[in-house]
């Protein structure tokens, strides 16, 4: 007689993983500048590229990047998606949530910290898709109380 296959036991829970990250002097300087609503980048002396977030060396030339420049807080969307489901940290009231990558004006790489777009005045996904698209222009929305961390940029708002 064949033995009946045992079903695996499962458990459903929420896991929260608090952590600390050593920023190092380059990122620490960038985030301190956020307190003054400034976005800093570094410029490569060899290829001339301006990178945001700032880096201690150029990933293309491997040269030290010692020249600091203030970047614009406006830019162009380079990729986008719309989140339309809840998960940890995102509740129903935030949906749909358009999320973007962008290239800040005057810089040479995408700002690789994603942000979300606010101030759309609609929850209609079709309308949001028409407005929040590659090539659209955005401007940083700064928090009133800044602490010198990535959350100081609260969101990005369309420049229409």
């Amino acid at each position: 007689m064949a033995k009946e296959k045992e079903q695996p036991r499962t458990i459903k829970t929420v896991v929260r993983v608090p952590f600390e990250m050593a920023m190092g002097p380059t990122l620490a300087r960038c985030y301190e500048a956020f307190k003054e609503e400034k976005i800093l980048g570094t410029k490569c002396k060899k290829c001339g590229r301006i990178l945001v977030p700032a880096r201690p060396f150029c990933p293309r030339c491997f040269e030290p990047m010692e020249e600091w420049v203030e970047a614009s807080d406006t830019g162009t969307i380079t990729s986008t998606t719309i989140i339309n489901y809840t998960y940890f940290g995102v509740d129903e009231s935030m949906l749909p949530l358009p999320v973007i990558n962008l290239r800040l004006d005057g810089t040479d790489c995408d700002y690789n910290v994603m942000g979300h777009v606010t101030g759309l005045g609609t929850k209609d996904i079709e309308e949001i898709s028409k407005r929040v698209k590659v090539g659209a222009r955005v401007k940083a929305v700064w928090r009133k109380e800044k602490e010198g961390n990535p959350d100081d940029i609260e969101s990005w708002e369309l420049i229409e």
Side-chain angles (χ1 to χ4, degrees), residues 4-117:
E4 195 173 311
K5 187 175 180 183
E6 190 175 316
Q7 293 297 317
R9 182 174 179 261
T10 62
I11 186 170
K12 189 173 183 175
T13 187
V14 174
V15 177
R16 184 175 168 102
V17 183
F19 69 94
E20 289 184 24
M21 179 182 88
M23 291 187 288
T26 303
L27 278 180
R29 183 171 177 180
C30 289
Y31 292 142
E32 279 301 306
F34 276 17
K35 292 178 182 177
E36 299 172 20
E37 297 186 4
K38 292 180 181 179
I39 300 174
L40 297 181
T42 46
K43 183 175 181 178
C44 178
K45 63 184 173 190
K46 185 173 181 181
C47 70
R49 292 187 328 146
I50 297 172
L51 305 181
V52 173
R55 295 168 178 85
F57 67 91
C58 179
R60 184 179 288 168
C61 304
F62 301 105
E63 292 289 325
M65 295 182 78
E66 298 165 342
E67 183 180 346
W68 288 84
V69 294
E70 185 176 343
S72 175
D73 67 351
T74 59
T76 303
I77 295 174
T78 57
S79 67
T80 182
T81 191
I82 298 175
I83 297 171
N84 197 27
Y85 58 90
T86 61
Y87 60 92
F88 186 76
V90 175
D91 63 51
E92 191 74 31
S93 68
M94 300 168 74
L95 301 178
L97 181 66
V99 178
I100 60 170
N101 278 322
L102 66 141
R103 180 172 292 184
L104 296 175
D105 296 342
T107 66
D108 296 297
C109 70
D110 291 355
Y111 186 53
N112 63 5
V113 177
M114 293 189 305
H116 62 278
V117 179

